[in-house]
Amino acid sequence: SEDDADIARAFEMGAVDYLRKPVRKFELIARLTTQLELRRRQLHLEQMVNERTQELLVANLELQATQEQLLQADKMAAIGQLAAGVAHEINNPVGFVTSNIGTLSQYLDDLLRIIDGYETAECALPDEQKKNLQVLKKKVDLAYLKSDVSELLEETTDGLSRIKNIVQDMKELSHVSGNAWELADIHDGIESTLNIVHNEIKYKASVVKVFCESARVMCIPSQINQVIMNILVNAAHAIESTGVITIKTAQDDDRLNISISDTGCGMTPDVIKKIFDPFFTTKPVGKGTGLGLSMSYSIVKKHHGNIEVESQPGKGTTFVITLPREQPATGTNNAGI
């Protein structure tokens, strides 16, 4: 019929419903109610889809952040293996050089005693030989040589000792098997870390240490050292010319507080809100990954601790790390970052 053809044509053009004339009130209300319900359900479905899409986007970002952290952890483990190997290789030549210096020092003492003996017998020599010997002594400046050679050996021994300590600190900081929980002295970890980052800090800041009597906590030392190193390096980078980095420790019955302050440029409230977010960095492109503080936050949380930051532009920054002295029974089950 003509009505059927019109209805079919209307549907082809996009219509979703129809009414025949004359329009009856109950039919109009029923059709409108149906369409409104369909529209309500459509909007609800669209909202659910949007919410689910947003959840998936957030989950995807979190997954990406986790993957980047795992990659960074693998990278640190690889660097740790390399550093441990290099440290081991450095230890060998440092060991035999130190031994040789010790032997050389003994030989030098013997030679100096012989020279002293010759000088004592010098008065018995004929005048001509005595004069030639005095000329030679003046030419080589024997008095200065005798005092300076001992100082040179002492400085060399001290330098070798410093190299040995730095290598040992490198091995401890990057220990490949450093995922074991143990009762560790945080002060030792701070000192080791300061040795490692000395080159980053020495031209920028003086370091002030105010330590409590004891700072032993149950932790994974290499990971806590990593947290401290990240904060110290950031503190050095925040100081534009020269300044001060202050490290304080304080304890109560069951917790240890580690405070690291700098006199650098400080941060705005907006930056502070994002400081622990993965990939967030205020450093220029290529100078930072934005994962250092994010990983530090994860490490401290895994230790059932807390990390907070206080900062004002132009007035510096303070990070406060709080660690429990003992871990809960389940706290030492997972050693991964």
Side-chain angles (χ1 to χ4, degrees):
S1 67
E2 184 177 345
D3 286 345
D4 291 339
D6 291 340
I7 292 171
R9 189 162 53 252
F11 280 129
E12 289 174 358
M13 296 176 64
V16 296
D17 206 346
Y18 67 92
L19 288 170
R20 296 180 184 272
K21 293 181 179 180
V23 176
R24 288 171 290 185
K25 183 178 180 181
F26 73 89
E27 185 177 0
L28 174 61
I29 293 174
R31 295 292 179 90
L32 287 174
T33 301
T34 300
Q35 292 301 322
L36 289 172
E37 178 63 20
L38 289 173
R39 181 57 178 165
R40 187 189 66 80
R41 294 187 180 186
Q42 181 184 11
L43 291 173
H44 179 66
L45 181 60
E46 289 176 356
Q47 182 182 358
M48 291 179 62
V49 169
N50 289 335
E51 290 176 353
R52 183 57 178 164
T53 301
Q54 188 63 31
E55 290 175 359
L56 290 173
L57 288 173
V58 172
N60 185 57
L61 288 174
E62 291 177 349
L63 178 60
Q64 184 180 3
T66 301
Q67 289 175 333
E68 289 292 338
Q69 287 186 341
L70 289 173
L71 287 173
Q72 185 75 356
D74 288 341
K75 181 179 178 181
M76 291 302 299
I79 292 174
Q81 289 179 330
L82 179 62
V86 170
H88 178 73
E89 293 301 319
I90 291 175
N91 259 342
N92 290 333
V94 167
F96 67 70
V97 171
T98 302
S99 176
N100 289 349
I101 289 292
T103 304
L104 180 61
S105 180
Q106 294 175 1
Y107 291 168
L108 180 63
D109 289 340
D110 294 338
L111 289 172
L112 290 176
R113 283 201 300 270
I114 292 173
I115 291 174
D116 289 340
Y118 279 124
E119 287 185 320
T120 301
E122 181 182 342
C123 59
L125 294 174
D127 291 342
E128 185 66 24
Q129 291 182 355
K130 186 187 300 183
K131 181 179 179 180
N132 292 337
L133 185 58
Q134 288 175 348
V135 170
L136 179 61
K137 288 167 62 176
K138 185 176 182 180
K139 183 177 180 179
V140 301
D141 198 353
L142 181 61
Y144 174 76
L145 187 150
K146 288 169 65 176
S147 64
D148 192 49
V149 71
S150 297
E151 292 180 6
L152 288 175
L153 282 174
E154 288 178 5
E155 291 175 359
T156 302
T157 302
D158 180 63
L160 288 169
S161 177
R162 289 174 61 185
I163 292 173
K164 185 176 180 181
N165 290 337
I166 291 172
V167 169
Q168 183 61 35
D169 292 337
M170 283 178 59
K171 290 176 69 176
E172 291 180 1
L173 183 67
S174 59
H175 206 312
V176 178
S177 61
N179 281 336
W181 292 82
E182 60 182 89
L183 189 61
D185 191 331
I186 298 299
H187 291 162
D188 291 343
I190 292 173
E191 296 288 1
S192 297
T193 305
L194 283 171
N195 280 339
I196 296 299
V197 300
H198 177 68
N199 195 57
E200 290 278 351
I201 295 176
K202 63 180 179 180
Y203 300 114
K204 303 292 289 293
S206 57
V207 177
V208 177
K209 293 175 287 187
V210 184
F211 288 170
C212 60
E213 183 176 352
S214 175
R216 295 178 66 81
V217 300
M218 182 62 68
C219 64
I220 302 176
S222 62
Q223 293 187 7
I224 298 301
N225 290 348
Q226 181 70 43
V227 173
I228 294 170
M229 183 175 72
N230 288 339
I231 295 174
L232 286 174
V233 170
N234 284 345
H237 290 173
I239 297 173
E240 295 179 0
S241 54
T242 57
V244 179
I245 296 174
T246 303
I247 308 172
K248 296 180 181 179
T249 60
Q251 64 168 339
D252 54 28
D253 291 339
D254 57 358
R255 303 188 78 79
L256 175 73
N257 291 328
I258 308 165
S259 169
I260 302 176
S261 304
D262 66 69
T263 57
C265 59
M267 295 179 286
T268 63
D270 289 339
V271 172
I272 293 175
K273 291 178 182 178
K274 303 175 183 176
I275 198 69
F276 296 116
D277 292 348
F279 314 116
F280 177 78
T281 179
T282 58
K283 297 177 182 178
V285 176
K287 296 294 185 180
T289 62
L291 287 172
L293 288 178
S294 173
M295 291 182 66
S296 298
Y297 183 86
S298 298
I299 289 171
V300 172
K301 287 301 181 182
K302 188 187 66 177
H303 280 74
H304 298 89
N306 193 34
I307 180 169
E308 297 178 346
V309 57
E310 297 179 1
S311 184
Q312 293 184 31
K315 295 186 178 180
T317 300
T318 298
F319 282 88
V320 179
I321 304 164
T322 304
L323 297 173
R325 301 186 69 182
E326 296 291 340
Q327 290 292 318
T330 58
T332 58
N333 292 338
N334 181 12
I337 291 180

